[in-house]
Amino acid sequence: MATERELALSRTMAALLAGHPGAEMPMDADVYAWRLIRWEADVPLTDDQREALLEGIDVTLAPAGVAAALFAADGDVMTIMLALNRFPAKVHRDTVLWLCAHSLMDHASVNLEQDGTMFIGEEFADAADWVNHLAPMREITDWWRRVSPIEGAKAHAHRTSLQTSIKRRQYSTMGGYISRVLRTETALAPVCFGFVPLVIEAIWSQHGELSLQTLTRGLSLTEMTRHPREALLAWLNALQPVLRACPPSVNAAPVERVIESIKADCSLPYSQANLSKSLGLTPAYFCRLFHEKTGQHFSTFLTRTRMEKAQYLLSDGQNLSLAEVSAACGYPNKSYFCQVFKKYTGMTPGEFESTYKDV
């Protein structure tokens, strides 16, 4: 029997394939494969955020193919139908999809101040067969670990070696290291696309202020399919001046003060855009530093802190009105507060208060 999530996705995809406005999908032989992708927001989205995210689909996923997307009825789950009409070889499509998926997540996190989880399904040959591929979808990290041409233990070792070069600011040694790997592990030469995510992750561990767009500016995806080793080394060479221009790692103490401020008073109108600007950081770098310190994204941490306070206020017998609780937790709009509270706890504020007040 189909789960509620599968039924919701089925309705979403049925509407998409029925010709939802803007969902013009190619249905011809030029499509090498089809794939379903799902993005789940951590907290409820506003109408403007949903619209902005849908508008970002074409830009962020264009390198992989043509995409159309719809939000499910609850407004927090976006399903994407991707027609992969670039790069005949699957190993190339997988790496490009990794880049595109991270680009979309960055777009949501930095521009919309909304975090979420990306799930990716298996490729399939017939668009009409989409319903059989709704589950299971894998979270992007787990998916990439399974499809990467570089085996897990070796990938970890290579990433660590690259991180060491970057930490020592010996950027010119990265190309030499990868050249030696490709000479000794000849099977990797045709699929060295797989080193692109490793290099990017290694750079982000030391230079989180660099956006994905900046890091891939010198990467020719077309050349990577024709002359993979040469294109990979050319990209690493193009990265050197970008990395040399980076300042030393930023002290994370200001981010720690932000964390303590949120814990002390979560009613303030916090915005990662304003906070990052006040700290002299890029929004992307602020996001990465925050996640490094808390293990959570900024919006997730802020929502969790506010919801914990809301539960305390609703259960401690102060008899505050819903508007007062909402405002005290940083939500001027009590209707939106109720949406977030129900998603977080599974109950409305009234139901929660009736169940736990004075318990």
Side-chain angles (χ1 to χ4, degrees):
M1 180 178 293
T3 65
E4 284 298 317
R5 171 56 53 78
E6 289 170 338
L7 290 173
L9 286 174
S10 294
R11 290 190 290 270
T12 300
M13 293 308 303
L16 190 154
L17 292 174
H20 183 77
E24 298 178 0
M25 302 296 292
M27 297 290 185
D28 54 36
D30 291 333
V31 178
Y32 295 112
W34 297 82
R35 194 186 284 273
L36 293 180
I37 303 171
R38 188 172 77 238
W39 183 84
E40 297 184 6
D42 288 350
V43 298
L45 303 175
T46 65
D47 290 342
D48 288 344
Q49 287 173 326
R50 285 192 289 272
E51 188 62 32
L53 195 58
L54 290 172
E55 289 176 357
I57 292 294
D58 288 342
V59 175
T60 56
L61 297 184
V66 181
L70 286 177
F71 274 96
D74 62 10
D76 304 327
V77 179
M78 179 175 64
T79 304
I80 303 167
M81 182 72 156
L82 180 58
L84 296 156
N85 61 2
R86 311 274 197 278
F87 311 107
K90 185 177 184 299
V91 65
H92 298 152
R93 293 198 299 269
D94 284 340
T95 305
V96 172
L97 182 57
W98 185 94
L99 292 168
C100 291
H102 277 276
S103 178
L104 180 57
M105 290 191 293
D106 276 0
H107 171 76
S109 180
V110 174
N111 298 321
L112 308 183
E113 299 194 9
Q114 279 293 344
D115 299 305
T117 305
M118 182 75 75
F119 296 88
I120 298 177
E122 297 298 322
E123 287 190 358
F124 51 98
D126 186 353
D129 192 38
W130 61 270
V131 72
N132 295 319
H133 297 270
L134 288 172
M137 291 188 186
R138 301 189 183 280
E139 190 274 329
I140 185 170
T141 302
D142 179 46
W143 165 78
W144 177 248
R145 190 162 46 240
R146 290 170 179 269
V147 302
S148 171
I150 306 174
E151 184 267 327
K154 290 183 178 180
H156 176 74
H158 295 323
R159 189 186 300 110
T160 300
S161 295
L162 291 167
Q163 286 173 341
T164 299
S165 295
I166 295 166
K167 189 172 183 179
R168 294 173 177 171
R169 301 182 74 88
Q170 297 173 340
Y171 308 122
S172 61
T173 64
M174 291 193 298
Y177 171 79
I178 290 180
S179 290
R180 288 192 297 275
V181 171
L182 296 179
R183 283 197 300 270
T184 57
E185 300 182 41
T186 55
L188 285 180
V191 294
C192 59
F193 248 46
F195 275 100
V196 174
L198 291 182
V199 171
I200 291 174
E201 288 171 347
I203 291 173
W204 275 341
S205 71
Q206 302 299 319
H207 298 297
E209 72 276 17
L210 294 174
S211 68
L212 184 64
Q213 182 180 10
T214 297
L215 292 177
T216 57
R217 194 168 292 146
L219 178 63
S220 173
L221 298 176
T222 301
E223 281 301 303
M224 281 287 286
T225 64
R226 296 171 179 169
H227 309 288
R229 180 181 177 279
E230 291 80 0
L232 178 62
L233 296 177
W235 172 55
L236 292 173
N237 189 56
L239 280 176
Q240 291 184 39
V242 175
L243 296 173
R244 290 196 184 98
C246 292
S249 298
V250 173
N251 188 332
V255 174
E256 293 172 353
R257 290 197 292 271
V258 169
I259 294 168
E260 292 306 313
S261 177
I262 293 173
K263 289 179 178 178
D265 185 3
C266 62
S267 69
L268 299 176
Y270 293 100
S271 159
Q272 73 179 23
N274 291 337
L275 288 170
S276 58
K277 184 177 180 180
S278 69
L279 297 177
L281 306 174
T282 66
Y285 195 22
F286 174 82
C287 291
R288 293 191 182 101
L289 282 176
F290 199 94
H291 188 274
E292 185 179 296
K293 283 293 175 183
T294 65
Q296 301 173 64
H297 295 292
F298 172 77
S299 64
T300 306
F301 179 86
L302 180 60
T303 300
R304 178 179 177 179
T305 304
R306 286 172 166 173
M307 289 299 101
E308 288 175 351
K309 182 174 182 178
Q311 291 174 83
Y312 168 75
L313 293 176
L314 289 168
S315 61
D316 76 342
Q318 293 187 39
N319 295 316
L320 298 177
S321 69
L322 180 60
E324 288 173 324
V325 173
S326 176
C329 296
Y331 295 97
N333 185 327
K334 67 179 182 180
S335 176
Y336 182 66
F337 165 73
C338 291
Q339 291 179 45
V340 177
F341 190 90
K342 185 169 184 180
K343 179 164 185 174
Y344 188 83
T345 66
M347 292 184 270
T348 66
E351 291 169 342
F352 183 90
E353 186 174 25
S354 299
T355 303
Y356 294 102
K357 188 175 182 179
D358 297 327
V359 172

